[in-house]
Amino acid sequence: MKAISKLKCSTPTSPLRSSPYVPATPASPDIPSPSSLLDEFTKFCYQSDLPRAIKAMNAMQTLGIHADCITYSQLIKCCLARRAVQQGKLVHQHVFSNGYQPKTFLINTLLGMYAKFNLLNDAQSLFDKMTERNVVSWTTMISAYSNAKVNDKALSFLVLMLREGVRPNMYTYSSVLRACDDLPNLRQLHCTIGKVGLDSDVFVRSALIDIYAKWGEMQNAWRVFNDMETGDVVVWNSIIGGYAQNSHGVEALNLFKRMKRAGFPSNQPTLTSVLRGCTVLALLELGRQVHVHILKYDPDLILCNALLDMYCKCGSLEDANSVFARMAERDVISWSTMIAGLAQNGHSREALQLFELMKASGTKPNYITIVGVLFACSHAGLVEDGWYYFRSMKHLFGIDPVREHYGCMIDLLGRAGKLEDAIKLINEMKSEPDAVIWRTVLSACRVHRNVDLAAHAANNILKLDPQDAGTYIILSNIYANKQRWEDVAEVREAMKNRGIRKEPGCSWVEVNKHVHAFIQGDCSHPQIDEIRRQLNRLIHRLMQVGYIPDTNFVLQDFEGEQMEDSLRFHGEKLAIVFGLMSLSKESTIRIRKNLRICGDCHLFAKLVAKMEHRVIVIRDPIRYHHFRDGFCSCGDYW
DNA sequence: TTAGGGTTAG
């Protein structure tokens, strides 16, 4: 730092300012020549060797060569590369000392440095002092605010620059798009970009795809991608990532195949999205193949974290543990993923032990880590531990409890049958309870058979989410159980009037890398007759050892035998039987469902696992069920 | 001198 302060500037009128001065006289052999010093300086900057670059600049000054805009700019980039904030600030002071008037591009470089260091106040005050601002100055500020997610500022800078008559370019638009936080704004911006003909730029294109994907507008994202005349690997990654983020695994995986066919080599971000595609579809075997492919790379932290998540969400904790154990570097996401993964798969105690290890490793938990910890407590019925973490999270980790933490606690209390305490906690919340919270309450009421509170919770859900078919059905069943037929009719009427239909239940099972789908009431599977025959035989054998179909879970449209029939052919039962028929004795039967598993299928799976000595893993939209020896990892609460 | 993609709970 001292070395830099030794640098002196000449007067603004000095001709030396326009370019570094190199004396014409040859240097003596023991004194380095000015031109070799300048070469050295450039070399050190290129190597990001900040101390030697400063030394060379000081030596140059001793010989009377003063820094100019280009050398200053090189030095600033060197500070950036070394993340040397203080030295960067000293260069800034130096640039403005002795009345020197730096060119706009040098001030832009300083602006860029502050932007990258996330020092928005410094960037803003430098920007305010600028007498001349070009498109780069404006774009740098927009990019700084976009990156810091100060979206309104970023957007207002676009308006101001237009007002000052500065024309935005592709850099500007690709930066400002990231700050677009409402759809009408985005549409207008997209329109403008089209009018000025910048929509073929790959940066603008990938930014458009990203922001549409972020808004869940995949049709628009697809349109941007599909109009593609220009493209590169990042644009492909944007569209694949967009589909994966929005849980459209099939589209993501198909696009990946297309990308390969088109000759684009995949890189780490591509594979991360491909893994996410496998994750949302619970395709363990495909995920394993991707893993083998990844081993050819030197996978970075993000890719390893995605791998961990894939194995946890595909229900293979053995694989997840082995990836976790081998990771050279772990961040808060790696730990949080593993803690939540263990908890979700029914290994709560291990999850809490891992949390202790995490703290011992010096990694600071974030709010998501605590969600995982509370989730683990609720899964294992650890009410006291849950209260301890919830009440002390602020004090211990500096994290304020938010809606999600309340949700976990309400789940914990609900599971433990402490419904009154759960309601008390809802009343303690600073924000209004959302549909997720009320669904948690409803779920607890179903287990603990609290009809009045269930109706209250269901009504609250429907106020917040009138399209939630599942809640109408539960509510209607609750009234039917109480023989409140007028209420039943009212619920049905409301459902009909709002055009709400029960989403058909679907179960998928992966056999030999092919996914077989079983939709309730659909007979299109080529082996459906044989599967049904086998299912009937299996049910018959189960009934001999005491299985009684639990008809509580059927929408009250059916009666008696018909009711049993509708249960008999639930997709997950067909999928289980198909798994038994097609997979080897040692293989785990892995099923993914689009709806929550019903109580009868849950009981069926437990008994089949015991009778057939098989492990069955069923992942529903929220929870995981590992059936083994007549027990389920969820502890019969879901 | 300014711009792009990927990971975490329910």
Side-chain angles (χ1 to χ4, degrees):
Chain A
M1 277 192 274
K2 269 188 180 170
I4 286 184
S5 58
K6 265 165 62 187
L7 285 171
K8 282 187 182 148
C9 293
S10 60
T11 55
T13 49
S14 163
L16 300 182
R17 278 295 177 184
S18 55
S19 64
Y21 171 64
V22 180
T25 45
S28 75
D30 38 338
I31 302 171
S33 77
S35 63
S36 71
L37 266 178
L38 189 61
D39 284 350
E40 288 242 292
F41 170 78
T42 308
K43 190 181 87 189
F44 292 140
C45 285
Y46 181 72
Q47 293 171 344
S48 305
D49 188 342
L50 185 58
R52 286 160 103 176
I54 291 172
K55 218 168 151 189
M57 192 178 244
N58 282 319
M60 276 156 57
Q61 236 189 345
T62 319
L63 290 179
I65 312 165
H66 296 293
D68 69 347
C69 287
I70 295 175
T71 44
Y72 273 134
S73 181
Q74 284 175 315
L75 195 60
I76 294 165
K77 280 195 213 154
C78 194
C79 293
L80 247 177
R82 306 302 311 178
R83 304 223 34 95
V85 179
Q86 291 310 321
Q87 277 96 335
K89 285 189 170 181
L90 280 171
V91 178
H92 176 180
Q93 281 175 16
H94 209 269
V95 164
F96 282 93
S97 61
N98 298 334
Y100 175 52
Q101 287 190 342
K103 289 182 179 164
T104 308
F105 91 82
L106 177 56
I107 309 179
N108 285 344
T109 311
L110 281 168
L111 272 186
M113 175 188 79
Y114 285 128
K116 295 239 165 66
F117 284 147
N118 212 9
L119 299 170
L120 294 180
N121 290 338
D122 294 270
Q124 182 71 60
S125 71
L126 180 57
F127 182 83
D128 290 341
K129 284 182 202 133
M130 287 176 85
T131 48
E132 191 189 313
R133 299 168 185 139
N134 61 17
V135 60
V136 177
S137 329
W138 286 99
T139 303
T140 306
M141 290 308 292
I142 290 174
S143 164
Y145 282 117
S146 277
N147 286 338
K149 306 216 182 309
V150 191
N151 294 340
D152 50 341
K153 269 273 188 192
L155 292 169
S156 70
F157 266 73
L158 178 74
V159 176
L160 286 173
M161 84 183 275
L162 287 167
R163 222 176 269 167
E164 290 209 0
V166 183
R167 232 167 89 182
N169 61 17
M170 60 275 256
Y171 291 85
T172 324
Y173 283 119
S174 64
S175 300
V176 84
L177 276 170
R178 280 180 293 130
C180 231
D181 50 13
D182 71 88
L183 268 176
N185 257 339
L186 172 57
R187 295 213 171 99
Q188 201 186 342
L189 209 51
H190 188 174
C191 194
T192 312
I193 289 168
K195 275 187 201 153
V196 296
L198 288 173
D199 49 351
S200 57
D201 178 79
V202 283
F203 284 83
V204 174
R205 206 179 267 283
S206 61
L208 274 169
I209 295 173
D210 289 338
I211 191 77
Y212 274 126
K214 192 179 138 199
W215 281 97
E217 295 266 307
M218 284 316 293
Q219 276 190 334
N220 283 317
W222 172 251
R223 218 167 287 146
V224 173
F225 175 80
N226 213 24
D227 290 342
M228 180 162 69
E229 285 155 18
T230 50
D232 66 1
V233 64
V234 179
V235 178
W236 277 97
N237 287 350
S238 293
I239 191 74
I240 294 173
Y243 277 115
Q245 291 294 312
N246 283 285
S247 302
H248 300 307
V250 175
E251 288 83 351
L253 295 177
N254 284 339
L255 272 165
F256 173 60
K257 283 184 210 153
R258 252 186 75 184
M259 172 186 176
K260 300 270 275 186
R261 275 203 303 274
F264 287 92
S266 51
N267 56 15
Q268 306 226 17
T270 328
L271 294 172
T272 306
S273 295
V274 170
L275 276 178
R276 195 167 162 99
C278 299
T279 308
V280 298
L281 295 172
L283 296 177
L284 179 63
E285 284 315 312
L286 190 59
R288 283 202 177 116
Q289 272 188 332
V290 178
H291 188 179
V292 171
H293 186 64
I294 287 170
L295 293 176
K296 293 177 201 156
Y297 292 75
D298 182 17
D300 66 11
L301 185 59
I302 296 179
L303 191 46
C304 284
N305 286 345
L307 204 49
L308 268 187
D309 187 42
M310 184 275 290
Y311 280 131
C312 286
K313 293 229 170 75
C314 289
S316 177
L317 284 175
E318 299 83 359
D319 290 297
N321 272 323
S322 111
V323 171
F324 187 74
R326 285 189 193 134
M327 280 170 76
E329 186 195 352
R330 298 176 191 132
D331 65 356
V332 60
I333 296 179
S334 332
W335 290 97
S336 307
T337 306
M338 204 57 215
I339 290 169
L342 282 165
Q344 276 195 321
N345 284 282
H347 301 282
S348 293
R349 306 248 172 216
E350 286 95 321
L352 295 178
Q353 282 163 5
L354 197 66
F355 181 55
E356 293 305 316
L357 283 178
M358 171 184 180
K359 285 188 286 179
S361 80
T363 310
K364 218 176 140 230
N366 66 12
Y367 89 101
I368 292 176
T369 323
I370 308 299
V371 170
V373 168
L374 295 177
F375 187 82
C377 294
S378 87
H379 240 261
L382 303 171
V383 179
E384 289 309 312
D385 297 67
W387 273 124
Y388 167 73
Y389 287 119
F390 182 73
R391 293 292 185 213
S392 58
M393 57 190 277
K394 170 80 178 151
H395 163 68
L396 290 179
F397 315 114
I399 302 163
D400 279 312
V402 292
R403 198 198 299 265
E404 290 86 341
H405 301 112
Y406 279 94
C408 287
M409 280 309 291
I410 289 158
D411 188 37
L412 167 56
L413 296 168
R415 275 165 182 266
K418 296 174 183 292
L419 291 166
E420 274 181 27
D421 292 346
I423 296 297
K424 253 191 232 163
L425 196 57
I426 289 181
N427 294 331
E428 247 185 57
M429 284 171 67
K430 285 182 196 135
S431 53
E432 282 296 305
D434 61 0
V436 177
I437 301 262
W438 286 117
R439 266 189 216 109
T440 310
V441 174
L442 180 61
S443 190
C445 291
R446 205 160 67 160
V447 174
H448 296 289
R449 300 188 188 273
N450 185 328
V451 177
D452 292 331
L453 187 55
H456 175 66
N459 280 318
N460 278 315
I461 297 168
L462 294 178
K463 272 185 216 154
L464 296 160
D465 184 3
Q467 298 297 313
D468 187 17
T471 301
Y472 285 98
I473 288 157
I474 293 172
L475 188 57
S476 145
N477 286 358
I478 289 166
Y479 288 141
N481 281 338
K482 282 241 161 180
Q483 302 185 341
R484 285 162 60 173
W485 304 115
E486 276 179 24
D487 291 321
V488 171
E490 201 181 305
V491 174
R492 293 297 170 84
E493 192 62 23
M495 225 177 146
K496 206 172 136 192
N497 291 342
R498 290 173 192 170
I500 294 154
R501 283 177 153 192
K502 186 176 176 276
E503 189 185 347
C506 190
S507 299
W508 295 268
V509 60
E510 191 184 357
V511 170
N512 297 331
K513 287 175 199 145
H514 280 99
V515 181
H516 298 255
F518 294 92
I519 304 162
Q520 198 180 1
D522 172 59
C523 307
S524 60
H525 193 277
Q527 288 163 269
I528 191 70
D529 292 337
E530 180 56 21
I531 296 168
R532 287 188 166 194
R533 260 196 301 278
Q534 297 270 1
L535 176 56
N536 283 333
R537 267 184 231 143
L538 187 59
I539 290 176
H540 184 72
R541 282 170 55 213
L542 289 176
M543 285 173 101
Q544 285 177 333
V545 293
Y547 166 61
I548 301 164
D550 183 349
T551 52
N552 258 325
F553 291 87
V554 185
L555 183 58
Q556 315 272 320
D557 278 337
F558 308 108
E559 281 185 357
E561 226 174 87
Q562 207 187 352
M563 198 192 270
E564 241 177 67
D565 239 28
S566 83
L567 274 178
R568 188 178 293 238
F569 297 122
H570 267 182
E572 52 265 56
K573 290 202 186 75
L574 297 170
I576 289 171
V577 170
F578 182 66
L580 288 172
M581 286 163 56
S582 331
L583 291 164
S584 66
K585 266 261 170 200
E586 315 71 56
S587 328
T588 301
I589 300 171
R590 294 175 191 279
I591 293 164
R592 176 174 66 96
K593 269 188 63 63
N594 63 335
L595 301 176
R596 303 281 287 272
I597 186 170
C598 85
D600 182 59
C601 289
H602 196 264
L603 175 64
F604 175 84
K606 282 199 290 189
L607 297 175
V608 172
K610 186 170 183 171
M611 184 184 257
E612 300 291 312
H613 306 289
R614 300 292 287 248
V615 180
I616 301 168
V617 180
I618 300 183
R619 188 183 102 181
D620 72 19
I622 306 179
R623 283 178 169 70
Y624 296 73
H625 306 264
H626 292 247
F627 300 95
R628 195 192 298 263
D629 294 331
F631 293 97
C632 177
S633 60
C634 80
D636 296 343
Y637 180 106
W638 66 93

